[in-house]
Amino acid sequence: MHFVSIRIITADVARLVAFYERATGARAEWATEDFAELRTSGATLAIAGTRTVPLFAPGSARPADNHSVITEFLVDDVDQVHRDLAEFVTDVVAGPTTMPWGNRSLLVRDPDGNLVNFFTPVTPAAVEKFAAFTRLAG
């Protein structure tokens, strides 16, 4: 089994795609006006409109209603990302903070209120843990 993507359901696909394109630097590939994907070296972030929900099961997902999932992006320099996002991210939950597990993290909310964590490993153990990802990206 391979984990390949996470999908966010939204009432405004274009707005959310624009946010993630700007926040990540990745360009979206649009399949339809209701579905786009931002691919990274590790996984894909899919963004879909509410009209796609009935294709799976009517009422199974609601936009802007996430209270338990944090989408995470490994970045080279979380402090630089914080500076880069300062002009357009309006909801910074927690500025760059070094966590007990060795990552320096920036927690923000996207326009739908979903939590997004940008992080950089900073301790030797965390750097080693994510070494395979950084080799793939580099």
Side-chain angles (χ1 to χ4, degrees):
M1 180 185 308
H2 299 279
F3 180 75
V4 295
S5 73
I6 187 166
R7 183 179 311 205
I8 299 174
I9 300 297
T10 182
D12 190 338
V13 177
R15 177 187 67 163
L16 212 54
V17 166
F19 171 85
Y20 281 100
E21 282 183 329
R22 185 155 180 201
T24 66
R27 302 283 10 118
E29 294 180 26
W30 289 82
T32 71
E33 66 181 332
D34 289 316
F35 187 81
E37 294 179 319
L38 288 92
R39 293 193 175 121
T40 71
S41 61
T44 297
L45 177 62
I47 300 173
T50 54
R51 292 186 293 199
T52 67
V53 174
L55 300 172
F56 292 100
S60 61
R62 293 183 303 272
D65 196 32
N66 172 23
H67 299 284
S68 61
V69 175
I70 302 172
T71 303
E72 299 187 301
F73 294 95
L74 173 64
V75 298
D76 290 333
D77 182 347
V78 74
D79 293 289
Q80 183 61 51
V81 169
H82 183 237
R83 289 187 292 276
D84 293 345
L85 299 181
E87 292 184 24
F88 86 98
V89 170
T90 58
D91 194 350
V92 175
V93 177
T97 304
T98 301
M99 298 297 177
W101 46 89
N103 294 332
R104 189 155 173 78
S105 296
L106 165 66
L107 192 63
V108 303
R109 290 194 186 275
D110 73 16
D112 278 5
N114 300 303
L115 288 168
V116 182
N117 181 40
F118 297 94
F119 72 96
T120 302
V122 294
T123 64
V127 168
E128 179 60 30
K129 177 180 177 182
F130 292 101
F133 287 102
T134 56
R135 280 192 299 272
L136 286 174

